[in-house]
Amino acid sequence: MNVVLDSQPAGPGRENEDFAAAASGAAVLLDGAGVAGAETGCVHGIAWFSSTLGGLLLGSISARSARSLAACLADSIQAVRSLHEDTCDLAHRASPTSTVLAVRATAGALEYLVLGDSTMLLADTDGKATAITDQRLDDVGKRLRGPVDALPTGSPQHAAALAEYRDALTGLRNRPGGFWIAGPDPHAAEHALTGAVPLASVASVSLLSDGATRLVDSFELSTWPETLALLSGAGPAELIRRVREIEAGDSEGRRWPRGKAHDDATALHWVLS
């Protein structure tokens, strides 16, 4: 496998709640979700949840090629649940969650799974870039986040509005009319976006957390084809460096309103042909 990966926490001394890894013919990326320092009912934390789920999922999709990606995700969620249901309150409404991206190369096909607002960028052998993102969280967020975006990032007023926004989002998590994300309930895997493309048609696949896609979907300073060219040339580390540079120049979110001035950022680029 020809895989290049870079993952950086939101800032120095911060815990990275993203997780990405690759094995022979498979790769995963998870972006842990929650509020740092807030009560979650889990003694392990968000980073533990995303890395534990990610490791189990990668092992499952690698070893069980006849089982669907969604079924492997459901199995992995159940396995993580069994690891801490005796020590943690998994009924807590803020229990740790994570987005999930997974890809697996099988005989003649590249299977994929997308759950939550991380992005999978497929490049075909003709150079076309196709971004696959679960839009349900963004659709819900757009209805709720107006008061957040109207305030300077990091201000007390922004923090209060952000807390209200996150509380409202939590109430819409893993339910019809809301959005779906990996958490304590294995049934969330049934709502993942899944599909397959001919393996011979794929030149590369990139897995990107939302902290790494900001140049495109938050700052609108790049396109998906331009992002693909950057990943294929300079690599994931340069993509994240550029995101950090823009974030630093707009640390109060005045030009680009956002919930976090800086976010964990992870990019995995897998060249198949």
Side-chain angles (χ1 to χ4, degrees), residues 169-260:
L169 273 186
T170 299
L172 293 169
R173 185 180 67 197
N174 289 351
R175 62 180 56 191
F179 65 97
W180 301 89
I181 195 167
D185 186 357
H187 291 100
E190 300 171 6
H191 298 272
L193 308 181
T194 59
V197 294
L199 188 60
S201 71
V202 182
S204 70
V205 57
S206 301
L207 309 183
L208 307 167
S209 69
D210 65 349
T213 60
R214 285 184 162 185
L215 285 182
V216 178
D217 53 23
S218 295
F219 305 147
E220 298 182 342
L221 295 175
S222 182
T223 64
W224 290 122
E226 289 169 345
T227 299
L228 174 60
L230 180 60
L231 288 166
S232 301
E238 176 61 16
L239 171 63
I240 295 173
R241 188 198 68 77
R242 294 188 187 186
V243 170
R244 292 287 185 251
E245 183 177 53
I246 300 301
E247 289 174 339
D250 184 50
S251 59
E252 293 186 354
R254 295 186 182 276
R255 181 174 179 183
W256 293 289
R258 52 197 188 273
K260 301 177 183 177

Side-chain angles (χ1 to χ4, degrees), residues 24-100:
S24 179
V28 300
L29 182 148
L30 290 82
D31 181 354
V35 181
E39 175 59 42
T40 65
C42 177
V43 300
H44 302 94
I46 298 164
W48 175 88
F49 179 82
S50 59
S51 61
T52 303
L53 178 59
L56 288 169
L57 177 60
L58 182 61
S60 180
I61 66 176
S62 299
R64 307 171 73 186
S65 60
R67 195 153 174 78
S68 72
L69 296 182
C72 288
L73 176 57
D75 294 343
S76 300
I77 292 173
Q78 182 60 51
V80 175
R81 181 183 181 91
S82 69
L83 291 175
H84 70 144
E85 62 185 347
D86 293 334
T87 58
C88 303
D89 178 11
L90 302 190
H92 196 290
R93 68 193 308 267
S95 185
T97 59
S98 178
T99 71
V100 181

Side-chain angles (χ1 to χ4, degrees), residues 160-171:
L162 184 61
E164 292 183 8
Y165 166 72
R166 285 171 168 161
D167 185 65
L169 273 186
T170 299

Side-chain angles (χ1 to χ4, degrees), residues 69-161:
L69 296 182
C72 288
L73 176 57
D75 294 343
S76 300
I77 292 173
Q78 182 60 51
V80 175
R81 181 183 181 91
S82 69
L83 291 175
H84 70 144
E85 62 185 347
D86 293 334
T87 58
C88 303
D89 178 11
L90 302 190
H92 196 290
R93 68 193 308 267
S95 185
T97 59
S98 178
T99 71
V100 181
L101 298 176
V103 288
R104 178 173 62 190
T106 59
L110 182 74
E111 302 172 87
Y112 65 82
L113 177 147
V114 179
L115 183 66
D117 62 346
S118 297
T119 298
M120 182 173 298
L121 187 59
L122 292 173
D124 66 23
T125 51
D126 294 326
K128 179 183 176 182
T130 301
I132 303 173
T133 307
D134 183 349
Q135 298 288 347
R136 289 170 290 190
L137 176 55
D138 287 343
D139 291 344
V140 170
K142 288 175 183 176
R143 302 201 307 262
L144 301 174
R145 63 176 298 122
V148 178
D149 291 343
L151 297 165
T153 301
S155 68
Q157 296 84 358
H158 180 271

